[in-house]
Structures are given as C-alpha cells and as structure tokens.
Amino acid sequence: MTTATSSPTIILIAGHWLGAWAWDDVLEHLDNHHLHALAMTLPGLDADDPERSSRTLDAQADAILGVITEHGNQPAILVAHSGANAPVSLVMDRHPELVHRVVWVDSGPAATGSVFAPDLPEELEELPLPPFDVLAQQTSLEGLSAEVLEQFRARAVPEPGPVLRQPIELTNGGRRKVRTTLICCSIPSAQVLELAQTGHPMFAEVANLEHLDIIDLPTGHWPMWSSPRDLAKAIQSEAFRTN
C-alpha cells in the first residue's frame, strides 16, 4: 500500500481570483491517510497582502517552487485550475525535474509568448471578479448554486494587473516530457484534442505533450465546487498512476 511519505506531495492551485480556500471541499474528499495534499494561495491573491496588486507571474512561480522545496524538495504533483496554468507552466519550464505530474483542471499548458489579457490598460492595477452574467459569457457556471456564487463573490480577490499582462516566456522543452493529465470539465476532451490539433492558441501546447492522460468530468469551470467528490477521485487516481 502506498503511504503518504512515499507518494508525491499534491499541491492544489486555483485560478484567477481564488486562494487556497477554493479547494476546501476537494481536500475533504481526498484520502488523507495515503496522500499528502495541500492547497496554496498564489502571491497577489492574498487579501491581506498590501502589495498584492504588484505581484507578478514570476513571483507566483517562485512561490510554487518554494512550496515544493518546503515539502521535501521532491517531485510534486501540481494540480492547476484555470488561470493557474501560467505560473505552473513557468515552473515546469524552469524545473521540470521537480514536477512528478501536472493535472490541469479545465485548463492546459500555456504556450510561450501568450498573454492572458494583452489589452489590459497599464494604469489598471487589478481586475476584480466580473459580474456573473459577464463571466457566464466567457465560461460555464454550471453546477454552482446561489450560495456558492455568493461565497465566490464575497471571497474573490482582484487579480493583479501584472499577472494578466506578463508574456509567458518558455524555453525548456523538458516541460513537455512531464507526465500530464487533463481533467476536462466545461469543454469535452474530444473538442479539446480537436482544438489542439488545429493549433488553437488556448490548446496548441497539448499537441506537443509526450505523456498525456485525459479524464472527462462534465460540469462547469469550477468543479471544485460543482463536483468536489468526483474531482477529488480523479486527482487521487492520478496521484497513484504509475505510468
């Protein structure tokens, strides 16, 4: 039986506007006896940080590497949701040897040169969570109750402008050798793979991955709230995957 000490640390990293709290329901469903899992808040998404609006993607990548080092400096499993793909892609580019597996949750690897919000004005220090009717035009809110949406609104932290404007520079092909799992939620895997093959900017890097596994988890873009038990089960299965 695999034990917590012999299995890689699982680091859960949520996307824009979210901190470690977003994973609370998932952590409750993970097997704590045989897994070492933790959630982290990226720099810029801590409401108590007086300089959070100036944090960068580099600072976020450094923070992830710091958590890996703090927990044994052994290859970790990075679970990256949505916009967390940018700093996690930087980590994989700089230190692929420290990533045992990456699990993209309704997300995927970033391509070099990509910018999340290239047209965001320089004078805009941060981007608050948009109104939900606007957000629903961009991605799926399926499965989120009024109570969950209320909590989302109350706890969301504006995303730092530098994080959204910074181009992602990647040079190390070793990142493509890292074992990868896509957990496809708001977009089915068949469509993701089709978009990857046609070179869609959001998914083009998927076509370059050397070790890819795919799990379909049909729900909205925030499965940690709409389907936490199933998401935990999927993450746990990947933690014990040997190939």
Side-chain angles (χ1 to χ4, degrees):
M1 178 71 70
T2 304
T3 65
T5 56
S6 62
S7 60
T9 297
I10 301 172
I11 304 173
L12 307 170
I13 311 165
H16 294 160
W17 308 296
L18 302 175
W21 62 271
W23 298 100
D24 287 351
D25 291 345
V26 173
L27 286 169
E28 286 185 6
H29 293 296
L30 287 174
D31 183 354
N32 293 326
H33 294 293
H34 301 115
L35 293 173
H36 180 210
L38 59 97
M40 69 174 290
T41 297
L42 292 171
L45 292 169
D46 180 352
D48 295 327
D49 177 5
E51 299 182 9
R52 59 177 181 74
S53 63
S54 65
R55 304 306 182 191
T56 64
L57 283 178
D58 293 311
Q60 293 185 342
D62 288 344
I64 296 169
L65 288 168
V67 173
I68 295 174
T69 301
E70 180 183 350
H71 292 272
N73 204 33
Q74 298 298 315
I77 295 174
L78 301 183
V79 179
H81 165 254
S82 189
N85 71 327
V88 168
S89 292
L90 286 176
V91 169
M92 293 168 59
D93 187 69
R94 296 172 184 178
H95 290 283
E97 76 281 1
L98 291 181
V99 184
H100 175 76
R101 177 180 291 273
V102 61
V103 179
W104 303 111
V105 178
D106 219 35
S107 187
T112 189
S114 61
V115 183
F116 184 83
D119 299 325
L120 191 71
E122 285 291 336
E123 63 271 16
L124 192 66
E125 293 187 353
E126 57 189 22
L127 182 67
L129 177 67
F132 287 129
D133 59 340
V134 174
L135 197 61
Q137 296 173 17
Q138 303 167 0
T139 191
S140 172
L141 301 179
E142 181 183 342
L144 303 187
S145 66
E147 181 181 1
V148 167
L149 290 174
E150 182 179 354
Q151 183 186 49
F152 190 2
R153 176 66 59 191
R155 302 193 67 175
V157 174
E159 195 71 23
V163 167
L164 301 173
R165 286 188 290 263
Q166 181 178 338
I168 301 169
E169 302 300 334
L170 306 171
T171 60
N172 186 352
R175 71 186 187 278
R176 294 168 173 164
K177 300 180 185 295
V178 174
R179 288 174 286 188
T180 301
T181 301
L182 299 180
I183 299 181
C184 300
C185 303
S186 62
I187 304 177
S189 62
Q191 185 177 352
V192 169
L193 293 176
E194 181 179 350
L195 291 169
Q197 291 300 323
T198 57
H200 189 286
M202 189 176 296
F203 300 106
E205 271 295 299
V206 171
N208 296 321
L209 300 176
E210 296 187 16
H211 307 282
L212 177 62
D213 296 291
I214 298 175
I215 296 174
D216 274 295
L217 177 56
T219 184
H221 186 59
W222 288 271
M224 64 275 282
W225 301 330
S226 61
S227 192
R229 185 186 299 274
D230 289 338
L231 179 57
K233 181 179 179 180
I235 293 170
Q236 190 161 309
S237 71
E238 296 312 288
F240 290 124
R241 185 186 288 274
T242 57
N243 59 348

